[in-house]
Amino acid sequence: MVYSQQKVALVLSGGGAAGIAHAGVIKALEEHDIPIDYIAGTSMGSLVGGMYASGYSADQIFHILTSKDYTDMARGVFLDKHSYFFKKEDPTASWLSFKISPTGKVSSLIPTSFISSMALDFKSLELFSRAEAAARYNFDSLFVPFRCVAADVYNKEPLVFQQGYLTKSIRASATYPLYIDPIRVDGKLLFDGGLYNNFPTDVVYKDFFPDIIIGSKSATSLQEPMEGDFVSQFRAMIVKGTDYNLPCENDILIEPNLEDIGTFDFLKAKQAFQRGYEQTVSQMPDILKAVQSRKTTKQKNLERRAFQATFKPLVFDQVEINGVNKAQKKYIKKSLFASNDTIDIEFLKKRYFRIFSDDKIKSIYPSTRFDTLTSNYKLELEVEKEKDFEINVGGNFASRPVSTGFMSLKYNYLSYVALGLKADYYFGRFYNSLLFKARLDVPLNFPFYVEPELHFNNYDYFNTQNGFFVEDRPSYLQTNEEYYGVNVGVPVSKKGKTSVGIYKGEQKDQYYQRRDFLKSDTTDITKYTFISPYISFERSTQNEKSYPEKGTYTLLSGRFVFGDETHLPGSTAPSTQIYKSKQDWFQARFYYDNYYKSLGKLRLGFNTEVFYSTQKLFNNYTASIAKAYAYRPTVESRYLFLETFRANQFASLGHKFIYRLTKNIQLRAEGYIFQPFERIIRDDQNIVSASELFDKRYIVGSAGLVLKTPLGPLSFSTNYYHNVPELADENKTPLTFFFHFGHAIFNKRAFE
């Protein structure tokens, strides 16, 4: 044998996150001038091998696969920077969502994957499109000739890729069952190649006939199924055992110790890389003895740069969309391209993830095809529309008699425009609400939505006492409002939106003007009919709809309110005369919530709210308090009618401390200072008036334990209210205990 002409093939097994060890193996081989003439892999081995065959160095592979962005995508953590706040609807108290096709098949309710692969798929397009085009879609013409293996589960056989789309081939090879959805290639639904051939030494031997094979094994051997262990039983049913023995005597197997790195343990990617590198270095004397041919780093880099010099920039001038009808194709195309004739990859990424955030689209699989005539790329999209109907259920169950159920029904329609029709229903002893909403999204170069709404809200604040620590029985008060209107929203960068709108409706408050009322007494009624235009700006990067622990939320809004007040006195009113008055005002609100610092397991947050209104006092104290804006910084306070924390002008400051005991269990402590500019007060004759400026301020705090479950948060908290007379005498320490499970979220009120 002439050693200078030895050809070396590198075979990379599957193994999930542990397979990132292969990049460490490659780095050690290159550092010692060991040539890699051919490369083949399965699953994670196909990804690492495909990256190397596309011209990426071992260091580049390491930095890409161990980056936070990539590990987040691989773990199914949706990348916040790719979400569009403009596309998000207002949060609800939903726990579970069921998406149903018109046929109503039960199978349509069963998820086929644990994570969405859309972000990973676009990343693969960025990584491989130029290389596959430079090789003219022939894997033998890549920087290093390459093979990868997928599983054809229908025909129960492995499928070897040697040409075609590199992106699709690698994606199919790495499609772990139930973790990410399979894709179709040439009409076949394909899964992870590790099901039938997790170590394709036979493939490189047959296709390339190398002199020496170096195998890198990151997979654990198939174990016998165990009782009570679904994963081991599932693997035993679908995975065919793999022979990791190499065909020739002088071949070399590199097998680092990776038993403590699980299939999806991508947070240990750097450890896997280091172990692959160290194990290869430890075996280097044997490798150098077996492999006599050499290729220096300088030679490799020259060849790599020569291959990369043939790459064409990712510029797109065409799009081909499959899987949806003609009108839906036009909607998607206009959302991506708008009026642009050509777009580059960065522009496409922004538009692609806007579509990604659209609730009318279930999935998109992207690939590209290079056009030699135009030297541009055609974008090819396989699109699956979301199911037509969506049912949501949820609520919030609490230690007070304020528990609330939630149901929602939504219909999704996608054509030249996107239309969603929705009904949200909250029901309970304390709160009942019905919302009908339509949202029409128009895919122009500068997109916008139009959103007509109809609201019915009812709050019953009577008998919501706790009973654990203090008696907090409020005066009788029921608040009802019915209003309708329309909003128009436009995006402001990825994380913000501006909306303008107008509402028209009526609010009706029923109440007694003193606490010592009798069952025979009749209530006062204050009606307020109004019309209210508004403008608002919202920006959010927060990670949860309940108990967030990172990100910011900003709201700035302004609103005019024009209306008429009518007071119908009841038996407890000091006067029997009907009162009518014109009530117009302007109000502005600024709200800012920022989880600004992470110190290990400790998170710190800051909160401020400023509200200013020119609203005048209504006819009496209770009507004025009911119409004043409510400050409700804690979960429990959202269910209480606290007169002290209602004012027409106020400012507040708050701070939060979150200590993460585990990923899903946290201790939270938060405190707030509430400063009304003028308090709404009454004298002994129940005459309403305003206090002196800044004469009092108040403190509210909460501390407790929060457990985040797949359905919603479970919270136990102790709450503190300083100097709040409706909860306790001023000489006492007013403490309340509050337990709840679910989301303390309500439909919007008219002036929020």
Side-chain angles (χ1 to χ4, degrees):
M1 180 179 293
V2 180
Y3 288 115
S4 62
Q5 296 178 349
Q6 278 182 318
K7 296 296 183 181
V8 179
L10 179 63
V11 178
L12 310 176
S13 77
I20 297 173
H22 300 318
V25 172
I26 292 172
K27 181 176 175 63
L29 293 175
E30 285 208 333
E31 285 183 348
H32 291 81
D33 296 337
I34 302 298
I36 300 173
D37 300 298
Y38 314 105
I39 195 164
T42 295
S43 194
M44 181 57 76
S46 73
L47 175 60
V48 175
M51 291 179 73
Y52 187 78
S54 297
Y56 294 94
S57 68
D59 285 336
Q60 288 175 317
I61 297 171
F62 168 78
H63 289 301
I64 292 169
L65 297 186
T66 61
S67 68
K68 186 178 186 304
D69 276 4
Y70 198 90
T71 55
D72 280 351
M73 286 187 284
R75 293 185 301 121
V77 178
F78 184 76
L79 297 181
D80 178 70
K81 69 180 185 180
H82 289 319
S83 66
Y84 272 82
F85 183 69
F86 166 72
K87 287 288 187 178
K88 291 184 177 180
E89 294 193 343
D90 292 333
T92 68
S94 172
W95 297 351
L96 294 171
S97 178
F98 304 96
K99 296 177 180 179
I100 307 172
S101 65
T103 60
K105 291 183 179 179
V106 175
S107 60
S108 65
L109 301 179
I110 301 172
T112 57
S113 63
F114 290 124
I115 71 167
S116 169
S117 66
M118 288 178 71
L120 277 173
D121 293 339
F122 192 86
K123 183 66 176 179
S124 293
L125 180 144
E126 291 183 281
L127 290 174
F128 299 118
S129 291
R130 293 176 301 167
E132 66 184 10
R136 298 182 181 274
Y137 304 94
N138 181 348
F139 295 177
D140 286 341
S141 299
L142 291 165
F143 171 63
V144 173
F146 172 69
R147 297 289 185 270
C148 67
V149 181
D152 178 355
V153 295
Y154 180 77
N155 293 304
K156 302 294 188 297
E157 63 183 12
L159 183 66
V160 178
F161 289 103
Q162 58 186 0
Q163 62 183 0
Y165 291 100
L166 186 61
T167 49
K168 286 187 177 181
S169 303
I170 293 172
R171 170 66 165 79
S173 178
T175 302
Y176 196 90
L178 297 184
Y179 191 69
I180 59 176
D181 282 325
I183 64 169
R184 287 191 180 275
V185 181
D186 296 330
K188 296 180 179 180
L189 194 66
L190 302 179
F191 286 85
D192 195 297
L195 297 180
Y196 301 141
N197 187 350
N198 204 37
F199 197 51
T201 53
D202 57 330
V203 173
V204 296
Y205 197 79
K206 175 179 176 293
D207 283 14
F208 303 126
F209 201 68
D211 299 298
I212 292 178
I213 295 176
I214 298 175
S216 176
K217 179 190 173 187
S218 63
T220 57
S221 299
L222 186 63
Q223 303 294 321
E224 290 188 11
M226 295 181 290
E227 294 180 358
D229 186 339
F230 170 77
V231 174
S232 69
Q233 295 172 14
F234 179 73
R235 288 187 66 190
M237 285 189 289
I238 67 171
V239 178
K240 180 182 178 181
T242 297
D243 182 5
Y244 292 98
N245 293 315
L246 295 170
C248 300
E249 185 177 342
N250 60 339
D251 293 339
I252 296 169
L253 180 65
I254 300 170
E255 189 174 2
N257 182 5
L258 303 166
E259 292 183 1
D260 61 326
I261 301 178
T263 302
F264 311 116
D265 201 355
F266 289 95
L267 293 177
K268 293 182 179 179
K270 292 181 180 179
Q271 293 173 243
F273 177 90
Q274 188 62 27
R275 292 182 193 178
Y277 175 81
E278 291 173 353
Q279 181 62 37
T280 308
V281 170
S282 71
Q283 294 182 232
M284 194 53 64
D286 292 335
I287 298 172
L288 292 171
K289 183 178 179 180
V291 181
Q292 297 296 313
S293 58
R294 299 286 183 267
K295 184 174 288 187
T296 66
T297 300
K298 182 178 180 180
Q299 287 177 288
K300 293 170 195 166
N301 288 338
L302 285 173
E303 292 175 3
R304 184 175 285 118
R305 284 195 292 269
F307 178 67
Q308 293 171 343
T310 64
F311 288 4
K312 300 297 183 181
L314 284 173
V315 176
F316 303 87
D317 61 2
Q318 302 176 65
V319 60
E320 179 183 307
I321 302 168
N322 297 305
V324 291
N325 64 35
K326 181 179 179 181
Q328 293 162 352
K329 289 178 182 179
K330 190 167 184 178
Y331 174 85
I332 295 169
K333 183 176 181 179
K334 290 181 71 175
S335 298
L336 289 171
F337 278 75
S339 60
N340 300 73
D341 294 327
T342 61
I343 57 175
D344 61 20
I345 187 66
E346 291 303 319
F347 185 90
L348 174 64
K349 184 186 296 187
K350 294 176 184 178
R351 293 298 182 91
Y352 176 85
F353 283 105
R354 185 185 295 170
I355 293 288
F356 179 90
S357 301
D358 198 310
D359 61 0
K360 311 300 185 297
I361 304 294
K362 180 180 179 181
S363 67
I364 302 178
Y365 183 80
S367 56
T368 67
R369 191 78 185 181
F370 183 69
D371 187 334
T372 56
L373 295 178
T374 64
S375 293
N376 291 325
Y377 292 81
K378 179 171 73 173
L379 178 66
E380 299 177 344
L381 300 176
E382 295 290 336
V383 180
E384 182 178 359
K385 179 184 172 293
E386 189 52 271
K387 301 292 192 296
D388 291 337
F389 294 96
E390 179 180 336
I391 298 173
N392 291 275
V393 295
N396 190 40
F397 295 91
S399 52
R400 290 177 174 273
V402 294
S403 296
T404 306
F406 172 77
M407 294 181 64
S408 175
L409 175 63
K410 184 178 180 183
Y411 171 68
N412 291 315
Y413 175 76
L414 183 63
S415 184
Y416 295 105
V417 295
L419 176 65
L421 302 176
K422 185 180 182 184
D424 289 346
Y425 178 44
Y426 289 85
F427 52 94
R429 180 176 176 179
F430 161 70
Y431 174 62
N432 289 273
S433 178
L434 185 59
L435 163 66
F436 297 100
K437 179 189 290 188
R439 172 166 167 156
L440 182 71
D441 280 272
V442 182
L444 299 179
N445 197 31
F446 192 71
F448 67 93
Y449 67 78
V450 180
E451 194 173 58
E453 296 179 333
L454 174 62
H455 290 254
F456 301 91
N457 291 323
N458 170 261
Y459 291 83
D460 185 350
Y461 290 100
F462 186 58
N463 282 334
T464 59
Q465 69 268 24
N466 188 339
F468 279 96
F469 294 94
V470 296
E471 186 77 8
D472 58 324
R473 180 187 178 91
S475 60
Y476 181 91
L477 174 65
Q478 281 195 9
T479 294
N480 296 274
E481 64 178 6
E482 301 175 4
Y483 69 93
Y484 61 91
V486 62
N487 311 300
V488 177
V490 295
V492 180
S493 74
K494 289 183 180 179
K495 299 305 175 186
K497 71 174 181 179
T498 294
S499 57
V500 296
I502 187 167
Y503 292 141
K504 180 175 173 41
E506 180 181 85
Q507 295 176 329
K508 183 173 74 171
D509 299 326
Q510 296 176 261
Y511 53 89
Y512 296 105
Q513 292 204 46
R514 61 173 188 258
R515 292 178 184 268
D516 57 341
F517 56 86
L518 303 174
K519 289 185 177 180
S520 58
D521 285 324
T522 58
T523 62
D524 285 42
I525 297 176
T526 294
K527 293 183 179 180
Y528 184 64
T529 57
F530 63 87
I531 185 168
S532 177
Y534 81 94
I535 183 171
S536 73
F537 166 77
E538 284 183 275
R539 185 181 187 277
S540 179
T541 61
Q542 292 190 339
N543 64 323
E544 302 281 355
K545 62 182 179 180
S546 294
Y547 299 105
E549 58 189 58
K550 61 182 179 180
T552 65
Y553 176 77
T554 305
L555 170 66
L556 180 62
S557 66
R559 178 185 296 274
F560 287 98
V561 183
F562 308 101
D564 296 298
E565 172 193 4
T566 301
H567 174 241
L568 305 175
S571 59
T572 63
S575 170
T576 59
Q577 185 176 0
I578 295 176
Y579 173 83
K580 292 186 177 182
S581 176
K582 189 75 173 173
Q583 279 276 21
D584 301 336
W585 70 83
F586 169 77
Q587 68 181 50
R589 182 186 176 209
F590 173 70
Y591 181 88
Y592 182 67
D593 194 47
N594 182 6
Y595 293 88
Y596 66 91
K597 190 71 173 178
S598 178
L599 302 170
K601 293 186 176 183
L602 180 65
R603 301 281 176 89
L604 304 178
F606 169 78
N607 178 280
T608 186
E609 185 173 4
V610 179
F611 180 82
Y612 182 84
S613 172
T614 61
Q615 178 180 334
K616 298 177 182 178
L617 297 174
F618 274 57
N619 172 257
N620 59 69
Y621 172 78
T622 306
S624 299
I625 282 291
K627 284 290 178 287
Y629 192 84
Y631 178 62
R632 300 176 296 178
T634 63
V635 171
E636 185 193 45
S637 65
R638 300 173 196 174
Y639 293 95
L640 301 177
F641 186 81
L642 299 175
E643 299 171 17
T644 301
F645 290 99
R646 287 175 172 258
N648 291 328
Q649 305 95 25
F650 68 82
S652 70
L653 289 174
H655 202 276
K656 308 174 189 182
F657 301 87
I658 302 102
Y659 186 81
R660 300 180 68 190
L661 297 174
T662 68
K663 178 182 178 182
N664 295 314
I665 302 176
Q666 55 185 230
L667 297 173
R668 295 181 74 101
E670 45 197 285
Y672 304 88
I673 300 173
F674 173 71
Q675 176 64 73
F677 296 176
E678 292 179 332
R679 293 183 300 120
I680 301 173
I681 58 176
R682 58 182 165 183
D683 60 19
D684 294 339
Q685 283 72 45
N686 210 32
I687 304 300
V688 63
S689 63
S691 72
E692 295 181 2
L693 282 171
F694 309 113
D695 68 330
K696 285 187 178 182
R697 63 200 51 85
Y698 304 91
I699 296 174
V700 59
S702 178
L705 178 72
V706 176
L707 169 64
K708 294 186 177 181
T709 75
L711 297 181
L714 175 67
S715 171
F716 303 84
S717 65
T718 300
N719 303 276
Y720 170 75
Y721 301 88
H722 175 68
N723 201 22
V724 181
E726 57 263 42
L727 286 178
D729 295 334
E730 294 190 17
N731 296 325
K732 295 182 180 179
T733 301
L735 293 175
T736 64
F737 174 79
F738 188 65
F739 156 80
H740 81 99
F741 174 70
H743 300 284
I745 296 174
F746 310 92
N747 284 330
K748 282 194 308 183
R749 299 195 64 175
F751 304 146
E752 289 183 344

